[in-house]
Amino acid sequence: FVAPARTPRRALTNARARSARPRSRPAVVVASTPRASTPRETRVVVAGRRSSPAIMTTPIVAGFSIAAAALTARQAILAYEAWKRAPPAMRAFYQGGFEPQMTRREAALILGVRESAAKAKVLAAHRKVMIANHPDAGGSDYVATKINEAKGLLL
């Protein structure tokens, strides 16, 4: 066990007396070199001490940081607004290129389901594709025939 070092009572009273004294403000002088063309060459002298260049560049770095944050936020807001205005993405259907004899793979591509899809999914997909391609609504008879053939093959 090591006991903490004690500060003498006299040192404590001197420290309190020094901290209680009113301090005068040091004189601030801007001293520049003959070639004061860059911020590094101009130094602020406070009570005989020179300031470092880091003190002078801190406001510049802070300003650039705030500007970068503002521009990033602006771009995020613009991207969000563009995303909200965009129309909903439409699902692409099978484009065609039919084989002479339809396979289960081609039937699944036409209806947009898996080859092993359940009966209810096949019927729902058939209804959706037929609504989009029905001959009474301006669709092709050939495409409607292929859609019906795909449904028959998967069921």
Side-chain angles (χ1 to χ4, degrees):
F1 175 77
V2 177
R6 292 181 156 236
T7 308
R9 185 179 289 273
R10 181 181 289 167
L12 286 175
T13 56
N14 286 342
R16 286 186 193 134
R18 270 183 277 166
S19 65
R21 287 186 210 145
R23 294 182 181 236
S24 61
R25 301 188 98 196
V28 176
V29 179
V30 176
S32 60
T33 59
R35 297 176 295 122
S37 59
T38 62
R40 279 191 193 156
E41 295 175 8
T42 303
R43 305 225 191 265
V44 176
V45 179
V46 177
R49 289 182 294 186
R50 299 171 108 193
S51 68
S52 68
I55 293 174
M56 298 187 75
T57 57
T58 301
I60 295 170
V61 171
F64 279 125
S65 300
I66 291 170
L71 289 174
T72 303
R74 180 177 182 267
Q75 289 302 318
I77 291 170
L78 290 175
Y80 175 72
E81 288 174 353
W83 175 74
K84 278 184 70 175
R85 280 187 305 235
M90 296 300 291
R91 183 171 171 200
F93 292 106
Y94 183 63
Q95 295 298 318
F98 301 110
E99 298 174 14
Q101 180 66 34
M102 185 175 291
T103 61
R104 285 186 66 82
R105 181 180 176 279
E106 184 181 22
L109 285 172
I110 289 171
L111 295 178
V113 295
R114 294 183 182 202
E115 292 181 38
S116 60
K119 182 179 180 182
K121 284 200 176 199
V122 172
L123 291 174
H126 173 263
R127 178 176 170 79
K128 184 187 238 183
V129 175
M130 275 305 285
I131 288 172
N133 294 291
H134 199 276
D136 292 344
S140 166
D141 287 333
Y142 178 73
V143 173
T145 305
K146 285 294 186 179
I147 294 169
N148 287 328
E149 185 181 347
K151 179 187 91 168
L153 189 64
L154 288 179
L155 294 179

